[in-house]
Amino acid sequence: MKLKDTVHFEWYKHLLIVFLLAVCIFGSAVVTDADFSEVFSNLDQVGIFLGRLMHPDFSYLPKLLDPMAKTLKMSVVGTVLGVIVAVPVAFLGTTVVTRNLVVTTVMRFIMDIVRTIPNLLLAALLVAVIGIGEATGVLTIAIFTFGMVSQLIYETIETIDYGPIEAAESVGANKVQIAFWSIAPQVLSQIVSYTFYAFEVNVRASTVLGYVGAGGIGVILNSSLALLQYERVSLVILMILVVVAIVDGLSEAIRRRLV
């Protein structure tokens, strides 16, 4: 095929993709009864909203320090609790450790169930059971961390070197000893890395939990939006952005040193 023909073919392919996307957008608009004209008719309201959002009320900053501190505490405690539970469950969730298909299947089933529950739904359920407050946020983060980290750890265990395990078995070591002395040293650095990664995710996720009453700065964000106090909303968003950037930078630096 000549170069000119190839260029034409690529051009027609791009046009076909654009056409298909346009058909999909139009079809979804028809099915959902969406009216795009309403979007353009409310452009003035969008301008007013963005105008207020671009002028943060920095005088409100001192009142955000305590909720932000609570959010970080929730993330730290929830992450630690989740990892503490995730490590033994992840070890029991792999046949490399248990050599028992029934135990492994049960543990993986538990992890699958936990991972299928969205954060907000889990927080809403716990608020209904426990009540509003930071304790609910901590428990929500712990359960979410457990589901995420346990999956990562057991997948890591499945890829380790079997040499140390065979050596330990040859001298009569039991399963607990093999887990501690042959498997754990190979996955310890990954566990630390997954812990910091989960902490990064939880700092961002914990800000949303306030929408269902799980405490933290999310409560301030929700109430500010409800009262149309967009100057405070922009300040909360800006503060969350700064804190998340700092946490991401610190955890990345620590992971690079440990891994």
Side-chain angles (χ1 to χ4, degrees), residues 34-47:
D35 187 1
F36 290 105
S37 62
E38 294 183 3
V39 177
F40 297 102
S41 63
N42 290 324
L43 287 179
D44 55 339
Q45 183 63 32
V46 174

Side-chain angles (χ1 to χ4, degrees), residues 109-126:
F109 180 70
I110 293 173
M111 289 186 283
D112 290 340
I113 291 177
V114 173
R115 286 199 309 275
T116 58
I117 305 176
N119 248 2
L120 280 177
L121 176 58
L122 179 61
L125 293 174
L126 292 176

Side-chain angles (χ1 to χ4, degrees), residues 195-205 247-248 251-252 255:
T195 301
F196 281 104
Y197 170 71
F199 177 62
E200 293 177 23
V201 174
N202 289 335
V203 170
R204 290 188 287 267
V247 170
D248 286 353
S251 60
E252 179 68 20
R255 286 206 306 270

Side-chain angles (χ1 to χ4, degrees), residues 13-231:
K13 184 173 72 172
H14 292 322
L15 284 178
L16 179 61
I17 293 174
V18 171
F19 174 75
L20 291 175
L21 287 174
V23 170
C24 290
I25 293 173
F26 178 77
S28 62
V30 172
V31 172
T32 59
D33 196 22
D35 187 1
F36 290 105
S37 62
E38 294 183 3
V39 177
F40 297 102
S41 63
N42 290 324
L43 287 179
D44 55 339
Q45 183 63 32
V46 174
I48 294 173
F49 170 76
L50 293 178
R52 294 181 61 185
L53 202 64
M54 294 300 292
H55 296 84
D57 181 12
F58 288 101
S59 63
Y60 194 67
L61 182 61
K63 295 183 180 180
L64 297 180
L65 297 179
D66 184 58
M68 192 72 242
K70 289 181 180 179
T71 297
L72 290 174
K73 291 176 184 177
M74 286 165 49
S75 302
V76 172
V77 177
T79 302
V80 172
L81 291 176
V83 172
I84 289 175
V85 180
V87 171
V89 172
F91 271 71
L92 293 174
T94 172
T95 53
V96 177
V97 177
T98 63
R99 304 296 175 88
N100 188 315
L101 186 59
V102 175
V103 174
T104 299
T105 302
V106 171
M107 291 301 169
R108 291 189 181 181
F109 180 70
I110 293 173
M111 289 186 283
D112 290 340
I113 291 177
V114 173
R115 286 199 309 275
T116 58
I117 305 176
N119 248 2
L120 280 177
L121 176 58
L122 179 61
L125 293 174
L126 292 176
V127 166
V129 175
I130 302 174
I132 296 174
E134 283 74 25
T136 303
V138 170
L139 189 56
T140 302
I141 293 172
I143 296 174
F144 172 73
T145 302
F146 162 75
M148 176 175 59
V149 174
S150 59
Q151 172 78 11
L152 295 172
I153 294 175
Y154 101 72
E155 288 180 350
T156 302
I157 295 174
E158 293 285 348
T159 62
I160 63 173
D161 181 15
Y162 283 69
I165 298 176
E166 295 172 353
E169 289 177 339
S170 66
V171 297
N174 57 38
K175 294 179 181 179
V176 176
Q177 292 171 329
I178 292 173
F180 268 101
W181 303 111
S182 300
I183 299 176
Q186 297 189 60
V187 299
L188 182 59
S189 61
Q190 284 89 345
I191 291 175
V192 175
S193 178
Y194 296 150
T195 301
F196 281 104
Y197 170 71
F199 177 62
E200 293 177 23
V201 174
N202 289 335
V203 170
R204 290 188 287 267
S206 60
T207 60
V208 184
L209 298 181
Y211 276 87
V212 291
I217 199 169
V219 176
I220 306 295
L221 181 60
N222 187 26
S223 61
S224 298
L225 279 171
L227 296 173
L228 305 181
Q229 297 173 329
Y230 298 127
E231 294 83 0

